[in-house]
């Protein structure tokens, strides 16, 4: 069966932005103007199509990325609306990994905000071409020029305006299309569905011509022939301009900028035109590069005739159809009922049903092709980031980056009959969300969950009750501290035990040194001469890694550590894997105890937007939380304070800030890095951690 839409007319895009920049509102307008929905859903009413979760509707925020499909000017657009809150950054990460292009939204008043920078870096990581949409041009204090300056200074971007506004703030009435030299207005009575093109008003003509000249000069940098024609004084046609800008976008050299007001139904149709004109189709991008099972490079071009290859980027439980796996198909075709090979796990799996998703609505289809995004029912062995391919044509594609969670709480079921249900529910949520972790504290027996922030964990506990009917009790949020060393050391671990029968003997000599930040635990064996047989190397590595996971100071994981096995000895009869496992664990603890062991804590980047009269109170409060003020910036009517603050001091900050500013200040916060904990505080943290463990052990004994 032939394609309904040629692959060259397909766009896989995502909307990304800081929280409350208007992503979901923009998506709702796109669905309305493309005919997918017949009414405008509003976020503040809890009726947005793409915010289908109960928690999203109640809070007015996007929590999970939602996919849909629409059509515009003969092009098929697969669209993913992503969250803006930093606690759900994995949803942006996994979406950008599989998308061909992105629309970055910026608030015309706020400009480039902290989460704008985060999502921009995520797009940079995967080389995703972008266009920008400056939203909320109708707001008081809107300043599109300042927004462009911030894109340059904060993001290192090269913004290129394709339009200028017809007024801004309360006077915003439409936009001027620089390429077409026309003014575009949007009929309020028709909810913006009717677009009127008219000559540019005289009072804007000089500004338009100056901006258009800058646009042409910038576009010529991407096309040498166009540059020659321009220098010769030839008239540059709109088609030539668009082609040059498109080339710059695909080369990641420029970011076209459009503007409007999604809430006031202005500027969305030109944005859709820009998606079609400038963002790439799957065939505009280089062939996807992967590896075969021997590690040799393979390519999978975006063609239906190529061997099937797809990446599983999202897992979800659907109450009606069960377990869903979202795939981005990079090459080949897939039919319902086909068998696929999970190259990441070395297992075969059978495809059940294929579904095209529209938020949480489903449409069953029989075949998917290169470039498609689809949900699959029936896959049992798949995890987020796995590669699925045709049996006999194995390939492993690049997986996705998963950020480390920084906040943890102990959790327990409200009643004993729910113990098993809680474990199953947490396992399913952890399978869906790679940034959420569940583990058992071996010493206290407690179940501990770890996530990206308080809101992240709050939503998960809420889901336990609503989706899985498991009532759970959680403790106070705990900071994910880390232990680390500041100097190198060498020590030996010797485990010798004699009993009536066969004894136990293991002996290792370890050398440790501080590793690079973010390197984790790196283990190398440097044994010479066979003083320790090879069959014990795995047990030794497991022993040191187990000791690192349990920590030495206060049970917090050791990280950024280089460990070398340099010597040891064994007994022909008494040595065993268990003996060397224990000896390695003992040796590591001995070494780190003499290596300047210290505690590290997560430090957050904080940005507070506050009315000027509360600036002193806000700054004083940040200082009292061990925060360091980095910058202050005056914006219309407010001051924006940027600071670095330890996470340990930030629990409950939302309520404190509301109280101090009569609810008029807002803040955003995201993880930045780990820093050493000051000495006196470190001692207190260690003592508290040890006390909690002892209390947990006493509870187990009782």
């Amino acid at each position: 069966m032939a394609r309904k839409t040629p692959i060259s007319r397909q766009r896989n895009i995502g909307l990304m932005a800081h929280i409350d920049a208007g992503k979901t509102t923009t998506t709702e307008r796109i669905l309305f103007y493309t005919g997918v929905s017949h009414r405008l859903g509003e976020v503040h009413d809890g009726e947005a199509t793409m915010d289908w979760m109960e928690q999203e509707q109640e809070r007015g925020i996007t929590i999970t990325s939602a996919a849909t499909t629409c059509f515009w000017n003969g092009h098929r657009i697969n669209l993913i609306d992503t969250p803006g809150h930093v606690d759900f950054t994995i949803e942006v990460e996994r979406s950008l990994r599989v998308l061909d292009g992105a629309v970055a939204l910026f608030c015309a008043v706020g400009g480039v905000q902290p989460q704008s920078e985060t999502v921009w870096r995520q797009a940079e990581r995967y080389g995703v071409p972008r266009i920008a949409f400056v939203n909320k041009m109708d707001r008081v204090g809107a300043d599109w020029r300042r927004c462009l300056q911030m894109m340059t200074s904060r993001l290192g971007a090269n913004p290129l305006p394709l339009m200028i506004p017809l007024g801004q703030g309360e006077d915003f009435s439409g936009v001027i299309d620089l390429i077409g030299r026309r003014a575009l207005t949007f009929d309020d009575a028709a909810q913006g569905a009717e677009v009127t093109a008219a000559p540019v008003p005289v009072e804007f003509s000089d500004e338009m011509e100056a901006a258009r000249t800058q646009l042409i000069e910038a576009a010529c940098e991407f096309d040498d022939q166009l540059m020659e024609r321009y220098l010769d004084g030839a008239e540059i046609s709109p088609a030539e301009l668009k082609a040059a800008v498109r080339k710059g976008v695909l080369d990641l050299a420029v970011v076209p900028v459009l503007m409007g007001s999604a809430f006031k139904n202005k500027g969305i149709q030109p944005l859709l035109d820009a998606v079609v004109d400038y963002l790439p189709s799957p065939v505009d991008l280089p062939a996807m590069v992967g590896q075969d099972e021997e590690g040799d490079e393979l390519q999978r071009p975006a063609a239906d005739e190529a061997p099937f290859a797809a990446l599983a980027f999202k897992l979800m439980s659907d109450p009606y159809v069960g377990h869903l796996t979202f795939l981005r198909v990079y090459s080949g075709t897939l039919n319902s009922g086909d068998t696929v090979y999970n190259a990441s796990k070395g297992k075969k799996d059978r495809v059940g049903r294929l579904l095209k998703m529209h938020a949480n609505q489903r449409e069953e289809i029989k075949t998917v092709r290169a470039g498609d995004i689809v949900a699959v029912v029936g896959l049992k062995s798949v995890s987020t980031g796995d590669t699925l391919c045709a049996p006999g044509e194995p390939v492993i594609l690049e997986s996705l980056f998963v950020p480390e969670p920084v906040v943890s709480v102990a959790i327990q079921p409200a009643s004993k009959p729910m113990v098993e249900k809680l474990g199953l529910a947490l396992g399913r949520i952890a399978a869906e969300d790679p940034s959420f972790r569940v583990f058992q504290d071996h010493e206290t027996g407690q179940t501990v969950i770890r996530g990206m922030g308080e809101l992240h964990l709050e939503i998960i506990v809420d889901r336990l009750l609503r989706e899985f009917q498991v009532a759970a009790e959680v403790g106070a949020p705990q900071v994910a501290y880390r232990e680390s060393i500041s100097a190198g050391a060498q020590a030996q671990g010797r485990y010798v035990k004699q009993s009536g029968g066969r004894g136990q003997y293991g002996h290792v000599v370890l050398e440790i040194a501080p590793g690079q930040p973010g390197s984790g635990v790196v283990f190398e064996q440097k044994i010479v001469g066979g003083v320790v047989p090879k069959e014990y190397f795995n047990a030794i590595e497991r022993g040191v890694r187990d000791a690192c996971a349990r920590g030495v100071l206060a049970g917090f994981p050791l990280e950024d550590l280089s460990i070398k096995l340099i010597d040891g000895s064994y007994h022909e009869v008494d040595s065993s894997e268990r003996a060397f496992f224990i000896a390695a664990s003992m040796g590591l603890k001995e070494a780190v105890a003499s290596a300047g062991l210290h505690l590290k804590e997560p430090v957050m980047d904080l940005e507070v937007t506050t009315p000027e009269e509360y600036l002193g109170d806000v700054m004083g409060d940040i200082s009292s939380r061990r925060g360091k003020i980095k910058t202050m910036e005056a914006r219309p009517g407010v001051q924006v304070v940027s600071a670095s603050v330890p996470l340990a001091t930030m629990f409950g900050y939302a309520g404190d800030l509301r109280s101090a500013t009569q609810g008029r200040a807002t803040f955003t916060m995201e993880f930045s890095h780990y820093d050493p904990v000051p000495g006196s505080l470190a001692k207190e943290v260690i003592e508290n951690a040890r006390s909690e463990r002892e209390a947990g052990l006493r509870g187990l004994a009782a």
Side-chain angles (χ1 to χ4, degrees), residues 50 101 146 196 272 298 423 584 645:
M50 304 298 275
R146 177 176 159 276
T196 301
L272 283 165
L298 289 175
V645 192

Side-chain angles (χ1 to χ4, degrees), residues 582-595:
I582 296 172
S585 179
M586 294 168 62
L588 181 86
K589 291 178 180 178
E590 187 74 26
V592 298
S594 57

